Amino acid sequence: MATLLLHHPTFANHKTSAGHPERPDRYRAVEAVLGQQEFDGLVREKAEMADLDTTRYVHTDRYVDALQDARPNEGYVYLDGDTMMEPSTWEVVLRGVGGTLQAVDKVLDGEVQNAFVACRPPGHHAESERAMGFCLFNNIGIGARHAQKKHGLKRVAIVDFDVHHGNGTQEIFYSDPSVLYASTHQMPLYPGTGAARETGVGNIFNAPLAPGDGGDKLRAAFEGKILPALDTFKPELIIVSAGFDAHERDPLGSLRMTAEDFAWVTRALMKSAEKNCEGRLVSVLEGGYDLQGLADSVGAHVGELMKG
């Protein structure tokens, strides 16, 4: 079966302040690479806007209502030092959620084998009651809960290979044995969470990497900890927080991954999905702030997804 790409031109909106790494050019770089001939086989759909109430699957009413009330008519509203909203942001983030829900639906309904959601801004730092780290809504978390609420899944796994730990995803599911969260990330680094001792109720698997680590350490973390955890958990769906800021070119981290390392991780997760959940996998874009590194990595990642 085919690979689905969820995209939308509004993902190039959501302007940020001058010099901010999470900028519209990120989406343009992804759009350009996935527009190349080798990706003609992708099934392409435009991301729909989510119903706001779906964000309440993982975020509190107080948080969602306050965020909605904070929408500016002009200029910026700063939610923290590096997380902001401007007039176009609301549509952009609701399409990020909507695209994630579409991807989950299409994969679980058997219409496609897997899917990639090319959205921005990222979401994995957004906690149940706090926006942070460029993130407003936790797309991945909402997608996992949607798979349970709409499709009746009992076990969903989230795997995160962004250079930054997905503190928001961990916080949301820390006491929930029905959702496994596994992460490789650089430590020490923002946001400071993600130690191996943080295990939740036996459902959290953090495999922190040291500054300067490369693909060999990434492979060891997956083979030694994350892939065995997936086999034990036996998820009915794997959702991937696909952040590419662990790339050696990225300005926000100090890991030394290459596009081939991300291709390897993608293959490993696809094999796990094939073994445990009939190949059902949804990938959602998180970080990646060097445009060339991002484009190369997304191309490698989606290219592997398309091999089925």
Side-chain angles (χ1 to χ4, degrees):
M1 288 191 292
T3 293
L4 173 65
L5 170 66
L6 276 305
H7 65 107
H8 200 280
T10 60
F11 289 136
N13 297 339
H14 176 55
K15 302 169 190 67
T16 49
S17 54
H20 198 289
E22 208 300 288
R23 58 206 190 277
D25 281 345
R26 295 184 63 238
Y27 178 73
R28 298 185 185 108
V30 170
E31 186 179 43
V33 70
L34 296 182
Q36 295 175 0
Q37 185 175 0
E38 64 190 282
F39 299 103
D40 285 350
L42 287 168
V43 176
R44 298 170 188 264
E45 290 188 8
K46 289 187 176 178
E48 300 171 357
M49 283 186 67
D51 184 312
L52 182 61
D53 281 346
T54 62
T55 67
R56 304 179 196 272
Y57 292 166
V58 301
H59 297 290
T60 64
D61 289 342
R62 180 172 64 179
Y63 173 74
V64 174
D65 294 344
L67 202 61
Q68 186 177 30
D69 291 343
R71 293 177 298 171
N73 293 319
E74 59 182 4
Y76 292 109
V77 167
Y78 283 82
L79 305 172
D80 69 8
D82 56 18
T83 309
M84 62 203 71
M85 302 173 69
E86 47 89 18
S88 71
T89 300
W90 195 245
E91 177 182 352
V92 175
V93 295
L94 284 179
R95 286 196 189 277
V97 174
T100 302
L101 301 187
Q102 279 173 263
V104 169
D105 286 341
K106 296 286 185 177
V107 169
L108 292 180
D109 288 342
E111 296 183 36
V112 294
Q113 183 65 67
N114 53 48
F116 179 70
V117 186
C119 60
R120 60 171 289 271
H124 70 156
H125 293 309
E127 298 183 347
S128 55
E129 285 199 302
R130 180 166 63 152
M132 59 183 290
F134 317 158
C135 306
L136 283 76
F137 290 131
N138 195 302
N139 302 316
I140 289 281
I142 298 165
R145 196 63 88 206
H146 177 75
Q148 295 179 323
K149 287 181 174 289
K150 180 175 179 179
H151 298 274
L153 270 58
K154 298 291 191 287
R155 298 178 308 283
V156 179
I158 298 171
V159 180
D160 187 337
F161 52 74
D162 192 281
V163 79
H164 304 98
H165 181 246
N167 61 290
T169 311
Q170 176 172 291
E171 181 259 346
I172 288 165
F173 297 112
Y174 201 72
S175 300
D176 183 351
S178 73
V179 177
L180 178 147
Y181 177 69
S183 175
T184 56
H185 48 274
Q186 180 181 326
M187 282 193 77
L189 193 65
Y190 179 92
T193 54
R197 65 179 179 274
E198 297 166 15
T199 58
V201 288
N203 63 321
I204 306 295
F205 296 85
N206 288 311
L209 305 174
D213 280 355
D216 57 334
K217 297 296 177 62
L218 181 71
R219 287 166 168 78
F222 268 83
E223 291 175 339
K225 188 169 192 177
I226 293 175
L227 297 174
L230 289 172
D231 286 344
T232 299
F233 184 69
K234 300 189 185 323
E236 297 165 278
L237 173 69
I238 295 175
I239 307 181
V240 181
S241 266
F244 299 104
D245 39 8
H247 192 279
E248 61 187 359
R249 292 176 55 104
D250 202 276
L252 297 194
S254 303
L255 297 182
R256 296 187 295 104
M257 308 310 164
T258 65
E260 175 50 38
D261 293 321
F262 294 118
W264 181 90
V265 168
T266 307
R267 290 192 296 271
L269 290 173
M270 290 173 68
K271 289 177 184 176
S272 181
E274 187 65 35
K275 180 178 180 180
N276 292 299
C277 51
E278 301 176 346
R280 299 187 297 193
L281 184 149
V282 170
S283 177
V284 183
L285 181 63
E286 300 280 4
Y289 304 100
D290 176 84
L291 298 183
Q292 187 62 57
L294 175 63
D296 292 348
S297 301
V298 167
H301 178 63
V302 176
E304 293 299 328
L305 292 178
M306 291 176 69
K307 294 177 183 177

